[in-house]
Amino acid sequence: MKDDRRRPPAPLLFAGAAVVLFALVALATMPIFMNQRTDGLRNDVERHSEPARNDLNDVNYQLSIQMASLARAAATGNDAYLTSYRDAGVQRDEAMRKLVSDVRDLGPAVVGRADDLQAKILAWDRDVEAARFEANYPAVIEALRDMDEALGAFQRSAAREVRRLMLLQVVFSTILVVLAGIAAAVVIWMVLKLRNLAAGLARESDERMAALRTRDEILGVVSHDLRSPLTTIMLSTQMLESSPPDERTEFIETILATTRRMQRLIEDLLDATRIEAHNFSIRRETLDPAAVAREAFLSHVPIAAQKKITVEENIATPLPPISGDAGRLLQALSNLLGNAIKFTPEGGTVRLAAEARGGKLRFEVADSGPGIAPNDVPHLFDPFWQAKKTAHLGAGLGLKIARGIVEAHGGTIAVQNGSRGGACFVIEIPSSP
């Protein structure tokens, strides 16, 4: 007869098998449930809150056109601006209808903000009919801001929930590993798979949230910095249509200048996007860095003269040639010189220097302005960032693009406050091809 004393009891075998089966089934199904919930949150962001943010920007834009048209009509007495006001009102109401529809499933807080915004707009419409078109407009602006904050809060809450689900997934997987200790090899394999899955989900979530933040920043820049020139072009076009031929030159020049400003902003946005995506490249050729620096200097002398600022140059000649992109290097130096002139007070000085030092070409752009606060230095090269005291002086892309150009040339860019005040930006690029 066989000795059965060393065999485990049948109930223990069944219990062990049940534990292993439960662990394997749970390990196999848990990621599915987690992924479904995570995808649901992401869909809420991508299919509802993001379109709602676009609708909100459209409402804001149409309101700005209405306000500008009312102001023009009041100033000139020209009823043609009232037509522009009414047309913008139709577009605004359509965008508001889409906004209310998009936020329907985003929770009572967001829906409440949308209802409040709609009520404030209707109150302003009634004020306009009573010839008090500025009475409730600040309340409309405040409601727009509250709506934007509510959408941002929803997206941040969704991001936190995604991270929480991932944490729960890791914790639950650890518990199941303990329960499935009998099948150690299988459990280890599943843990590795889950770890890779969790890491992939975390990276994907971070990338998506970073993309959403970048998209919000770009939309904010576009809505803020393009709204004004678009309104200028629209109003100038309307005036052009109603003006006699001998008075149209001024409006045409305004439209052309505004269009060039918009084109520059769009090109900067594209450059910043390429740099963020590590897809920025330059066209290399042998160039004379002294000639590039001299061109940057001469192009900014008239601009500085308008602000009564002195521009000095100390460009050593000759400088060793380098392999690089002359246009892009000129753009980087121009961005630094433009910033220096922008933030230097009247009567100040901006200096451009270039020399060869230690096998590198060294460019310096220094100014006699207020300098840079120590807390602001780490953020200077972040896209769309601006110090509070200099807010709304640009899109906040110039330094980001300048660093991308310098790094594409294999160089570095740094900033420091001068010993006598002001800021000094230093570019170093290898001089050998």
Side-chain angles (χ1 to χ4, degrees):
M1 294 181 59
K2 295 182 179 179
D3 186 1
D4 294 334
R5 288 177 295 179
R6 294 186 180 182
R7 290 185 180 181
L12 183 60
L13 290 176
F14 287 128
V19 169
V20 173
L21 181 61
F22 170 77
L24 293 177
V25 171
L27 284 171
T29 57
M30 191 64 181
I32 297 175
F33 295 128
M34 293 291 185
N35 287 342
Q36 289 175 347
R37 176 59 178 158
T38 303
D39 289 341
L41 290 170
R42 289 170 177 160
N43 287 336
D44 284 342
V45 173
E46 294 177 358
R47 297 182 182 178
H48 297 289
S49 68
E50 280 305 306
R53 192 177 291 275
N54 293 335
D55 298 335
L56 182 63
N57 288 330
D58 195 11
V59 170
N60 190 13
Y61 172 64
Q62 300 301 334
L63 281 169
S64 67
I65 292 178
Q66 286 189 286
M67 194 63 183
S69 299
L70 289 174
R72 288 283 187 173
T76 64
N78 189 346
D79 291 341
Y81 291 108
L82 296 179
T83 301
S84 176
Y85 163 80
R86 287 189 290 270
D87 293 341
V90 173
Q91 298 296 325
R92 181 207 68 193
D93 291 340
E94 177 62 19
M96 194 65 216
R97 184 191 63 77
K98 293 180 180 178
L99 174 63
V100 171
S101 175
D102 286 332
V103 304
R104 184 173 51 209
D105 299 324
L106 299 186
V110 181
V111 173
R113 293 298 187 185
D115 293 339
D116 181 62
L117 173 60
Q118 194 168 35
K120 294 294 174 52
I121 290 176
L122 291 175
W124 181 65
D125 284 343
R126 290 191 294 270
D127 287 338
V128 172
E129 293 176 0
R132 300 190 307 271
F133 64 87
E134 290 184 354
N136 272 320
Y137 195 72
V140 172
I141 297 301
E142 184 67 23
L144 285 168
R145 187 179 298 111
D146 291 343
M147 185 69 221
D148 184 73
E149 291 176 356
L151 288 173
F154 173 81
Q155 291 183 339
R156 290 190 295 272
S157 175
R160 288 194 297 269
E161 180 65 12
V162 169
R163 289 193 294 270
R164 188 186 71 83
L165 289 173
M166 292 178 181
L167 179 61
L168 286 177
Q169 189 173 8
V170 173
V171 172
F172 193 78
S173 300
T174 303
I175 295 174
L176 290 176
V177 167
V178 174
L179 295 177
I182 300 174
V186 176
V187 170
I188 291 174
W189 180 80
M190 292 298 296
V191 168
L192 293 176
K193 295 293 289 184
L194 282 173
R195 185 180 297 174
N196 292 336
L197 176 61
L201 289 173
R203 286 193 299 270
E204 183 181 350
S205 176
D206 292 341
E207 291 171 358
R208 288 198 180 191
M209 292 305 169
L212 289 175
R213 286 193 298 270
T214 301
R215 188 188 309 172
D216 287 346
E217 291 168 343
I218 292 175
L219 287 174
V221 170
V222 170
S223 63
H224 179 272
D225 290 353
L226 289 185
R227 185 187 305 125
S228 178
L230 280 173
T231 303
T232 301
I233 291 175
M234 178 178 295
L235 296 177
S236 298
T237 303
Q238 292 173 348
M239 295 299 295
L240 183 65
E241 292 176 344
S242 59
S243 300
D246 57 342
E247 298 180 4
R248 294 180 178 179
T249 302
E250 179 181 353
F251 297 112
I252 293 174
E253 291 177 352
T254 300
I255 292 172
L256 290 175
T258 306
T259 303
R260 284 192 290 268
R261 182 154 58 95
M262 292 174 62
Q263 183 179 8
R264 178 70 266 170
L265 173 61
I266 292 171
E267 290 175 355
D268 285 349
L269 286 170
L270 291 174
D271 283 343
T273 302
R274 294 188 188 103
I275 291 171
E276 285 291 313
H278 305 289
N279 194 28
F280 184 78
S281 61
I282 60 173
R283 299 178 61 182
R284 290 189 177 273
E285 60 181 358
T286 302
L287 59 90
D288 179 6
V292 175
R294 184 70 179 173
E295 182 179 352
F297 165 75
L298 292 175
S299 66
H300 284 79
V301 170
I303 302 174
Q306 293 178 355
K307 291 188 63 177
K308 298 181 181 179
I309 294 173
T310 302
V311 184
E312 301 174 350
E313 60 94 0
N314 184 16
I315 303 173
T317 53
L319 289 176
I322 64 171
S323 175
D325 190 322
R328 287 298 191 179
L329 187 57
L330 175 63
Q331 180 183 359
L333 292 176
S334 296
N335 285 355
L336 297 183
L337 284 170
N339 272 359
I341 293 172
K342 184 186 303 180
F343 300 122
T344 299
E346 182 177 316
T349 303
V350 173
R351 182 177 63 88
L352 170 63
E355 63 176 344
R357 181 189 298 183
K360 296 181 178 180
L361 285 173
R362 181 183 176 92
F363 300 91
E364 291 186 6
V365 177
D367 62 66
S368 60
I372 302 170
N375 292 337
D376 293 341
V377 172
H379 305 287
L380 280 179
F381 298 98
D382 294 344
F384 309 106
W385 183 89
Q386 297 182 32
K388 292 183 179 179
K389 64 180 179 180
T390 63
H392 309 303
L393 291 179
L397 297 173
L399 293 179
K400 173 70 175 180
I401 294 172
R403 184 172 69 172
I405 292 172
V406 171
E407 291 178 349
H409 284 81
T412 60
I413 182 171
V415 61
Q416 59 189 14
N417 284 315
S419 59
R420 298 182 180 179
C424 179
F425 286 83
V426 178
I427 294 176
E428 290 187 339
I429 297 176
S431 58
S432 58

